[in-house]
Amino acid sequence: MITSRQNPLIKYIKSLADKKVRDELGVFTVEGVKSVNESIASGFNVSKIVGTESGLSQVNFGTIPTETVSDDVFKCISTDVSPQGVLAVLDKPVYGEISQSGNCIFLDGVSDPANVGAIIRTAAASGYLNVFIANGADAFSPKSVRASMGGIFRVRIYTGSNEILSNMIKMPFVIADMNGENVFDFKVNESVCIVIGNEANGVSEFMRNKATYTVKIPMENGMESLNAGVAAGILMYQLKK
């Protein structure tokens, strides 16, 4: 059992809270009994599971290497408010050619990791396979992974610049803007890519110039905007019809 916070493995796991480190090593972490069990069942490569005796007892880890740590040590590597005593280290997935059938969603500078995770969760639930993330929060940060509620294992995530990602997508772009057509009256007979903009500044000029359609979510009582995750959810379900 590891009882020292200075143990190399513990230092390694703590370092994965840094996006730069995650990107360099191509790994990320998931925490909690349900999430770790989902990661094992997902087909992602789980390289290590670390937990307390109680936490590990609730995980179906099979032949995956495990390391038992003390409660105190686990608290120092946990990013959860209420640690469940187990986390897994996974390789980031690498996806190949993009399917051009079925709607997808494009996050254009969405900066809040909780919003990114919530959108991934809704994308998975509503059947949107591909999620593109440009200049925004890291989908593989602990906060995003937690907010995705397992959605991270059920969609394909592509990250990069607006230019690179938009050139990968061959379907029309739909952006949300208060000057657009009411989304509840909008009809389209082809697959589309929904663009969700930055929480404060909206959709970038670059993606506005790419848009084929512009829609709005009607609002009442003087409200002018919705949370990015809420808006994305409305648009994903409405435009799936």
Side-chain angles (χ1 to χ4, degrees), residues 95-109:
Y95 299 113
E97 188 175 349
I98 296 168
S99 169
Q100 300 293 337
S101 63
N103 291 358
C104 64
I105 188 156
F106 190 110
L107 308 190
D108 176 22

Side-chain angles (χ1 to χ4, degrees), residues 2-68:
I2 296 175
T3 58
S4 171
R5 296 186 177 198
Q6 301 307 311
N7 181 277
L9 176 62
I10 302 308
K11 289 184 174 180
Y12 163 71
I13 292 173
K14 288 185 71 174
S15 75
L16 298 180
D18 187 329
K19 180 181 184 301
K20 183 178 179 180
V21 176
R22 292 194 300 271
D23 288 346
E24 287 177 350
L25 299 179
V27 299
F28 69 107
T29 61
V30 300
E31 186 175 347
V33 173
K34 184 175 185 294
S35 294
V36 170
N37 279 323
E38 282 189 324
S39 73
I40 296 167
S42 70
F44 281 45
N45 183 50
V46 181
S47 60
K48 176 82 75 174
I49 297 175
V50 177
T52 62
E53 290 181 346
S54 174
L56 289 173
S57 70
Q58 301 176 72
V59 172
N60 303 313
F61 52 80
T63 60
I64 299 170
T66 63
E67 194 69 58
T68 306

Side-chain angles (χ1 to χ4, degrees), residues 103 128 174 183 186 192 194 235-241:
N103 291 358
Y128 283 60
V174 178
V183 70
F186 177 71
V192 296
I194 301 169
L235 293 173
M236 280 190 277
Y237 274 99
Q238 181 61 24
L239 295 183
K240 187 182 177 184
K241 293 182 179 179

Side-chain angles (χ1 to χ4, degrees), residues 1-229:
M1 176 184 290
I2 296 175
T3 58
S4 171
R5 296 186 177 198
Q6 301 307 311
N7 181 277
L9 176 62
I10 302 308
K11 289 184 174 180
Y12 163 71
I13 292 173
K14 288 185 71 174
S15 75
L16 298 180
D18 187 329
K19 180 181 184 301
K20 183 178 179 180
V21 176
R22 292 194 300 271
D23 288 346
E24 287 177 350
L25 299 179
V27 299
F28 69 107
T29 61
V30 300
E31 186 175 347
V33 173
K34 184 175 185 294
S35 294
V36 170
N37 279 323
E38 282 189 324
S39 73
I40 296 167
S42 70
F44 281 45
N45 183 50
V46 181
S47 60
K48 176 82 75 174
I49 297 175
V50 177
T52 62
E53 290 181 346
S54 174
L56 289 173
S57 70
Q58 301 176 72
V59 172
N60 303 313
F61 52 80
T63 60
I64 299 170
T66 63
E67 194 69 58
T68 306
V69 301
S70 66
D71 289 345
D72 179 66
V73 168
F74 191 84
K75 286 177 183 176
C76 92
I77 60 174
S78 173
T79 60
D80 206 341
V81 176
S82 301
Q84 296 180 14
V86 65
L87 65 76
V89 180
L90 293 79
D91 291 343
K92 285 186 182 181
V94 178
Y95 299 113
E97 188 175 349
I98 296 168
S99 169
Q100 300 293 337
S101 63
N103 291 358
C104 64
I105 188 156
F106 190 110
L107 308 190
D108 176 22
V110 176
S111 60
D112 185 337
N115 281 337
V116 170
I119 292 168
I120 290 170
R121 178 182 183 181
T122 305
S126 56
Y128 283 60
L129 176 64
N130 296 321
V131 178
F132 299 86
I133 302 177
N135 308 317
D138 182 15
F140 296 98
S141 72
K143 193 170 184 179
S144 289
V145 171
R146 186 161 53 247
S148 81
M149 296 295 289
I152 197 84
F153 305 123
R154 296 175 174 87
V155 301
R156 294 179 171 225
I157 295 171
Y158 299 87
T159 60
S161 67
N162 280 329
E163 183 174 8
I164 290 174
L165 293 179
S166 63
N167 285 336
M168 295 166 66
I169 301 165
K170 307 305 179 186
M171 59 191 75
F173 291 99
V174 178
I175 66 170
D177 187 271
M178 288 309 294
N179 294 317
E181 180 181 350
N182 187 326
V183 70
F184 298 108
D185 298 326
F186 177 71
K187 306 293 182 186
V188 64
N189 295 316
E190 58 185 331
S191 296
V192 296
C193 182
I194 301 169
V195 181
I196 302 297
N198 174 266
E199 292 88 344
N201 302 312
V203 176
S204 66
E205 193 65 27
F206 182 91
M207 292 309 296
R208 284 182 182 276
N209 291 332
K210 289 274 188 177
T212 302
Y213 306 107
T214 304
V215 298
K216 68 178 178 182
I217 300 171
M219 296 178 218
E220 300 181 13
N221 298 315
M223 300 305 294
E224 297 180 350
S225 65
L226 292 172
N227 168 272

